């Protein structure tokens, strides 16, 4: 799938993924061979250029290397973490064009503000002019993408396919994502006109009520039951 996507006429500037893909060295080499930038999550035991283990690398980072930054907006506002980024040694085979460098390697760490022992790690491959703040933003883009895919699954049946060939799969997800984009644009237009957003109903109120030292089930009143029965007979 990755080979077909990179070979397609669609522009692909960056790739981001979780540690299941990020730890795969062949996947990273594939992106580097095509000149595609990436910010990939990796496990704490990840080995890389000039870095025996990525968690050990950031364990030696000075306090001033950590900077509070947002990697994007979440449901409750900006997602703030402490971030640290360090440039890694270059690899001549992939990072140079002739004698001149064209790409740069980074290692990033994202540390929880409230729980400093919770740290996530990333490897990045980027053009020379890329800044650490841009890499943070790209790392945070994965949450928005995952939310988009989850919404498309719930609303447009993105995952409701049974195909074994790439063409059939590609047609299905293209149609599903097009439908999702239409729904998102329609909802945004409605909000722009002042319409109230549709909110899901809350959980059903429990019929359990405490009376003295025991619990009882509270049902509808006799009048309500009589009115409902009368409506049903009409």
């Amino acid at each position: 799938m990755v080979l077909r996507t990179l070979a397609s006429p669609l522009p692909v500037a960056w790739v981001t993924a979780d540690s299941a893909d990020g730890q795969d060295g062949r996947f990273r080499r594939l992106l580097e061979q095509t000149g595609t930038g990436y910010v990939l999550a990796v496990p704490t035991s990840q080995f890389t250029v000039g870095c025996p283990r990525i968690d050990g690398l950031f364990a030696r980072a000075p306090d001033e290397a950590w900077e509070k930054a947002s990697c994007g907006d979440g449901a409750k506002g900006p997602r703030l973490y402490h971030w640290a980024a360090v440039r890694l040694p270059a690899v001549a085979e992939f990072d140079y064009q002739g004698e001149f460098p064209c790409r740069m390697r980074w290692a990033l760490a994202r540390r929880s503000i409230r729980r400093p022992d919770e740290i996530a790690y990333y490897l990045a491959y980027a053009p020379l002019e890329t800044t650490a703040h841009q890499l943070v933003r790209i790392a945070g883009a994965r949450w928005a993408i995952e939310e988009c895919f989850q919404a498309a699954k719930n609303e447009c049946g993105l995952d409701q396919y049974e195909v074994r060939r790439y063409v059939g799969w590609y047609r299905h997800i293209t149609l599903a994502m097009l439908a999702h984009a239409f729904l998102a644009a329609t909802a945004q237009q409605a909000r722009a006109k002042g319409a109230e957003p549709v909110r899901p109903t809350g959980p059903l109120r429990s019929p359990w009520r405490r009376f003295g030292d025991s619990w009882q089930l509270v049902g509808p009143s006799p009048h309500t039951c009589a009115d409902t029965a009368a409506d049903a007979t009409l």
Side-chain angles (χ1 to χ4, degrees), residues 41-42 44 58 66 83 108-112 118-122:
V42 293
T44 59
F58 284 97
W66 296 92
W83 291 83
L108 288 81
R110 187 198 73 212
R111 187 176 69 186
S112 172
E118 294 183 2
I119 304 177
Y121 301 97
Y122 302 83

Side-chain angles (χ1 to χ4, degrees), residues 71 79 81 83 110 122 139-148:
C71 58
R79 297 194 302 270
Y81 296 91
W83 291 83
R110 187 198 73 212
Y122 302 83
R142 184 164 59 88
W143 284 277
I145 295 171
E146 290 178 350
E147 290 173 358
C148 179

Side-chain angles (χ1 to χ4, degrees), residues 31-115:
L31 298 175
E32 293 166 10
Q33 289 171 357
T34 59
T36 305
Y38 62 71
V39 181
L40 304 174
V42 293
T44 59
S45 59
Q46 180 67 46
F47 291 76
T48 186
V49 181
C51 168
R53 277 179 58 117
I54 197 168
D55 57 348
L57 174 67
F58 284 97
R60 300 192 300 269
D63 292 340
E64 56 268 24
W66 296 92
E67 181 180 352
K68 182 186 292 187
S70 170
C71 58
D73 292 335
K76 299 181 180 179
R79 297 194 302 270
L80 293 171
Y81 296 91
H82 283 142
W83 291 83
V86 61
R87 297 179 181 180
L88 300 175
V91 176
E93 182 181 359
F94 300 109
D95 305 347
Y96 281 80
Q97 288 183 349
E99 298 181 356
F100 301 98
C102 61
R103 296 276 173 170
M104 187 173 297
R105 296 173 183 272
W106 296 75
L108 288 81
R110 187 198 73 212
R111 187 176 69 186
S112 172
I113 296 176
R114 294 184 178 181
R115 301 180 179 88

Side-chain angles (χ1 to χ4, degrees), residues 1 7 24-25 34 54 56 63 86 117 145 165 168 183-184 191 200 221 224:
M1 297 298 181
D24 188 342
T34 59
I54 197 168
D63 292 340
V86 61
D117 57 329
I145 295 171
R165 295 183 179 274
L183 293 175
R191 286 193 294 269
S221 67
T224 302

